[in-house]
Amino acid sequence: MTARIVVVGSANLDLVVTAPTLPRPGETVLGGEFTIVPGGKGANQAIAAARAGGEVAFVGAVGDDDFARPQRDNLVAAGVDVSRLRTVPGASGVALIAVDEHAENLIVVAPGANAALTGLDAADRAVISAADVLLCQLEIPVETVAQAAATSTFTVLNAAPARQLPAEVLSTVDLLVVNEGEAEVLAGRAARPEDLLDLVPRVVMTLGAQGAAYADRHGLRLDVAAPRVKAVDTTAAGDAFTGALAVAWAEGRPVEEAVRWACAAGAVCATRSGASSSLPSRAEIEATP
């Protein structure tokens, strides 16, 4: 069956520079290659899900500036339905990204049009309610995430960037995806997936090169190793993981298989530079041992 995914989230244009090391506060570092790549956690995850084999629609906003067209065109090229992508007055979202020689990154996001995604209309809600999985992140207003989740039959929330979330938002989440830092913000301390089960019924924690861990209220606990790869840029690895996980979940795969498949997507993504440009195809994910 084809997995029907709706992503409600951000779209940015990523301005990326490589450098030997990431700058410390007040420090200037001489960089290397500079690229401009469409990104944003929402758009990245929509493209990741589409490349992983999902039928994907994107609900978001871009500005009326020159940065909007590359973002829209990139989604269309990946086969994402952009009929619910609106244009609003002002600047599109922009991310400034530095990547060091160890594939670690530093990111600053100017939300722009993403901050204007403050309400969903009847057409948005119809698309969301017809989907198998709703996928959201936190680069758009939390109120919009809550509104979308209230309309969905199954909501996956990637709680990034890290922030505290009100109980009324967490109560609408069916599957939470976090890294260790995001989990710590939500729990108020260092946490494993099982430590977040008082907030949501299912949790996947991404662990970078170590893979991922899963826990749910039924007592299932899993530690899934990631394929070994030589990482070049981890900027969109989490988005590749989350998009692929949404597809695998919508396809009804067993939990361990779904998480392992998502780990493979993240690993392939990390071997390439860029954000949306590095997201793997379904065939590439399947071919990763």
Side-chain angles (χ1 to χ4, degrees):
M1 88 182 193
T2 300
R4 297 173 299 171
I5 313 293
V6 172
V7 178
V8 178
S10 59
N12 295 323
L13 202 64
D14 294 345
L15 310 181
V16 186
V17 62
T18 60
T21 60
L22 297 177
R24 294 170 295 183
E27 181 183 19
T28 298
V29 174
L30 186 63
E33 182 181 3
F34 172 72
T35 54
I36 300 176
V37 185
K41 295 196 73 65
N44 286 346
Q45 291 179 17
I47 292 171
R51 291 184 181 169
E55 180 182 301
V56 183
F58 181 66
V59 179
V62 293
D64 57 2
D65 57 2
D66 292 340
F67 284 1
R69 181 172 291 278
Q71 297 178 54
R72 185 182 294 272
D73 290 350
N74 198 49
L75 288 160
V76 171
V80 176
D81 176 358
V82 296
S83 60
R84 305 311 307 157
L85 176 60
R86 60 265 271 155
T87 299
V88 300
S92 297
V94 174
L96 307 179
I97 304 174
V99 181
D100 72 13
E101 60 186 15
H102 302 293
E104 296 297 330
N105 60 59
L106 182 155
I107 305 173
V108 178
V109 175
N114 298 303
L117 189 64
T118 54
L120 303 176
D121 61 24
D124 296 326
R125 292 193 293 272
V127 169
I128 293 167
S129 63
D132 300 308
V133 169
L134 166 69
L135 179 53
C136 295
Q137 321 75 32
L138 299 176
E139 289 183 340
I140 59 172
V142 172
E143 296 78 10
T144 305
V145 173
Q147 187 180 357
T151 309
S152 169
T153 57
F154 192 93
T155 299
V156 177
L157 174 65
N158 178 206
R163 66 169 77 175
Q164 288 286 345
L165 290 172
E168 56 267 29
V169 172
L170 289 167
S171 68
T172 64
V173 174
D174 297 289
L175 173 61
L176 180 70
V177 180
V178 289
N179 62 22
E180 292 172 282
E182 292 149 6
E184 184 171 352
V185 169
L186 289 173
R189 57 185 171 84
R192 290 279 295 172
E194 53 267 29
D195 299 322
L196 299 174
L197 292 178
D198 58 334
L199 303 177
V200 294
R202 304 169 190 84
V203 181
V204 176
M205 182 182 291
T206 58
L207 301 169
Q210 278 65 56
Y214 172 88
D216 64 31
R217 289 177 180 169
H218 298 294
L220 181 60
R221 305 288 188 271
L222 296 170
D223 290 295
V224 178
R228 289 191 171 187
V229 298
K230 180 175 175 54
V232 172
D233 182 358
T234 60
T235 299
D239 295 333
F241 178 99
T242 307
L245 179 66
V247 171
W249 202 278
E251 290 177 347
R253 299 191 186 208
V255 174
E256 184 169 4
E257 179 184 335
V259 176
R260 194 172 304 281
W261 203 66
C263 284
V268 175
C269 179
T271 65
R272 302 190 284 233
S273 296
S276 61
S277 57
S278 66
L279 299 167
S281 68
R282 187 179 182 94
E284 289 173 320
I285 300 170
E286 297 283 7
T288 302

